[in-house]
Amino acid sequence: MSHDASATWSGFNYQGKIALYHSLKLIVEKLSNNQSLNNYEVVLENHEDFDIKGPNGFESFHQVKAINKTAFSIYENALLAMLLQLDSTQNSTVLGYLHTWRPIRWTGTEAFNLKLKNIINKIIVDDRDNPGNCNVSKAFSTQVNVNKKVKIIRQAISEDPRLTSTSNVIARANQICNLTNQTAVFNRIHRYSYGTELACQLDQIDLKVKNKIDEILVLKAVSYTHLTLPTTPYV
């Protein structure tokens, strides 16, 4: 089928289940520590695929990728978008999480946060190697047919009043790369952990959701019985 949308639907379906799973996980954590869930909400398709907003504002942004590939490069654009969003002044305390179907892999022993830092450094190198024609310069231009990175940088420019010129963006990129503290943007983005795994297969998320529901029922002392589905089809 040349116009089969099942793959796209599968991705949206997975995204929704991941949002549900994380919400249930947060409920379990709050209940286990006798903490309030008042004024918490899940916001869909806002900053990222879903965000968690607490009493004092946004706490975390979540990007969900149902991609059957493991190479780090496949996820670079999504990570760049998140890096630029979390670097804005209004999101300086927000955490970012990347949810993937397959575990991300790369050659070498460089830590994930340093791989993130290198994404920002590529902006600096691009400007050095292509002065006046780098992705940042194009983001300030009126060009229509531009690549994904230029579109991401344009979006960041529109949302961050500090970024008013190519030199401003490059200067900010240099500042980010020179940071060493734990609140630096490349230290606030993580691969989401599902216990012992840093990825969640499409066929595993349903069970994980059910297990979290079970945990909540136990914490709330609610008796329940699992339904047993018939092993033979109805006639």
Side-chain angles (χ1 to χ4, degrees):
M1 295 175 64
S2 59
H3 300 288
D4 181 10
S6 59
T8 300
W9 170 246
S10 179
F12 282 123
N13 193 25
Y14 178 73
Q15 176 182 315
K17 290 178 179 180
I18 292 293
L20 175 59
Y21 170 78
H22 178 75
S23 300
L24 293 170
K25 181 181 177 183
L26 182 62
I27 291 171
V28 169
E29 290 172 355
K30 294 294 183 182
L31 290 176
S32 298
N33 292 290
N34 296 313
Q35 295 175 329
S36 174
L37 283 159
N38 291 339
N39 300 314
Y40 270 88
E41 58 182 305
V42 184
V43 184
L44 302 177
E45 299 294 347
N46 185 38
H47 293 93
E48 292 290 351
D49 292 319
F50 70 95
D51 311 329
I52 299 297
K53 191 174 185 180
N56 300 312
F58 287 103
E59 296 185 357
S60 60
F61 297 160
H62 300 254
Q63 173 69 226
V64 182
K65 290 295 183 187
I67 301 174
N68 191 21
K69 295 182 180 179
T70 63
F72 181 87
S73 59
I74 298 296
Y75 303 90
E76 278 199 22
N77 283 338
L79 290 167
L80 173 62
M82 185 178 284
L83 283 161
L84 295 178
Q85 281 200 90
L86 294 185
D87 183 57
S88 62
T89 52
Q90 67 267 31
N91 298 325
S92 60
T93 61
V94 179
L95 299 177
Y97 292 96
L98 178 64
H99 301 253
T100 59
W101 166 17
R102 301 282 303 280
I104 305 175
R105 305 191 187 283
W106 58 88
T107 57
T109 58
E110 199 170 33
F112 182 67
N113 64 335
L114 295 181
K115 295 289 291 183
L116 295 175
K117 186 175 180 178
N118 191 49
I119 292 175
I120 298 296
N121 189 57
K122 286 181 179 180
I123 293 175
I124 301 168
V125 173
D126 181 36
D127 175 66
R128 182 197 67 199
D129 294 346
N130 303 288
N133 195 40
C134 66
N135 286 328
V136 177
S137 296
K138 291 175 183 177
F140 282 98
S141 74
T142 57
Q143 286 182 247
V144 177
N145 297 319
V146 293
N147 63 43
K148 181 65 174 178
K149 280 188 172 61
V150 173
K151 293 178 181 178
I152 291 169
I153 295 169
R154 277 182 179 169
Q155 182 67 27
I157 290 168
S158 71
E159 296 175 351
D160 193 334
R162 299 173 301 175
L163 307 179
T164 58
S165 67
T166 298
S167 59
N168 286 154
V169 176
I170 300 304
R172 184 56 197 159
N174 273 294
Q175 289 170 354
I176 292 171
C177 288
N178 288 329
L179 292 173
T180 57
N181 54 63
Q182 286 302 309
T183 58
V185 65
F186 53 82
N187 287 325
R188 287 188 282 120
I189 297 179
H190 310 277
R191 290 172 291 168
Y192 194 87
S193 175
Y194 297 87
T196 60
E197 301 292 334
L198 292 173
C200 181
Q201 297 282 347
L202 293 178
D203 60 356
Q204 293 177 347
I205 188 59
D206 286 354
L207 180 59
K208 289 184 182 295
V209 167
K210 291 175 182 177
N211 287 341
K212 285 299 171 188
I213 293 173
D214 287 350
E215 288 183 47
I216 293 171
L217 293 174
V218 170
L219 286 168
K220 299 297 290 183
V222 176
S223 59
Y224 64 96
T225 302
H226 283 295
L227 293 176
T228 302
L229 296 177
T231 55
T232 55
Y234 292 109
V235 177

